[in-house]
Amino acid sequence: MITSEGFQKLREEHDHLWRIERPDVTAKVAWAASLGDRSENADYHYNKKRLREIDNRLRYLRKCIDDFKIIDYHPNQEGKVNFGAWIDIKNEEKGLQNRLRIVGYEELIGNKEYISMDSPMAKALLGKTVGDEAIVKTKMGDFVWKILKIEYRK
């Protein structure tokens, strides 16, 4: 599962890799190969490695793009914590306050405010409403988080 914003970012990454980075690296490999002896040619080896990385990521993205189920906002979600929700929570005991969003695994990279829908925190929050308390069980003990606000991007 993925949000529509996350899906769009993956498509943009795929397009960037396919249309910009891959042709650029391919040209560098061809140039480095034309210099002759490849055994000690650092440009050739580095760019061949980078080309493999790009191709692996492209294969992965193509598979993901074909397989993901996009979960868009629906008015029935309003008022309850569901996939794609932005949630403001507070832990009174520790004096902590956070804002987070429940998303799929692929959207986590580079987003500190995002949590996986499979995480203990997300599992504790799902289905709750504003004012409810969610108990998150961790190795360090149970943490109680009060839900202050729930929002969806429409």
Side-chain angles (χ1 to χ4, degrees):
M1 291 194 312
I2 193 166
T3 63
S4 55
E5 298 94 31
F7 185 78
Q8 184 61 35
K9 285 181 184 177
L10 289 182
R11 288 192 60 132
E12 289 169 4
E13 179 185 358
H14 177 276
D15 290 347
H16 176 77
L17 287 171
W18 182 250
R19 296 171 196 240
I20 297 170
E21 279 199 53
R22 192 176 193 289
D24 181 54
V25 173
T26 302
K28 289 177 182 175
V29 168
W31 169 80
S34 73
L35 297 177
D37 183 16
R38 297 178 192 165
S39 64
E40 294 183 19
N41 188 331
D43 283 329
Y44 176 80
H45 291 290
Y46 172 79
N47 286 301
K48 279 294 277 190
K49 180 181 180 229
R50 179 67 186 132
L51 189 58
R52 282 191 302 274
E53 291 168 352
I54 291 170
D55 287 343
N56 287 339
R57 182 68 178 164
L58 283 168
R59 274 192 297 280
Y60 176 75
L61 288 172
R62 280 188 199 115
K63 183 180 181 329
C64 287
I65 288 169
D66 291 341
D67 293 345
F68 273 133
K69 179 179 180 186
I70 300 170
I71 307 295
D72 286 319
Y73 168 78
H74 190 277
N76 291 347
Q77 293 175 306
E78 206 61 50
K80 284 192 175 183
V81 176
N82 285 299
F83 184 84
W86 281 98
I87 308 115
D88 292 345
I89 56 176
K90 184 174 187 173
N91 179 297
E92 302 274 340
E93 182 181 323
K94 301 275 185 189
L96 300 172
Q97 191 163 334
N98 286 324
R99 178 173 173 82
L100 47 90
R101 186 177 193 198
I102 299 174
V103 296
Y105 171 76
E106 188 60 42
E107 295 180 76
L108 296 175
I109 299 168
N111 293 303
K112 293 181 182 180
E113 294 179 321
Y114 286 11
I115 62 169
S116 169
M117 64 184 191
D118 298 321
S119 69
M121 174 72 87
K123 287 179 180 180
L125 291 169
L126 287 171
K128 303 278 193 237
T129 61
V130 172
D132 287 351
E133 290 185 343
I135 300 170
V136 181
K137 297 182 182 296
T138 70
K139 292 177 185 177
M140 297 170 46
D142 294 350
F143 288 85
V144 179
W145 293 90
K146 185 172 184 173
I147 299 174
L148 304 175
K149 186 177 181 181
I150 303 168
E151 293 180 326
Y152 289 93
R153 292 213 173 121
K154 299 165 184 133

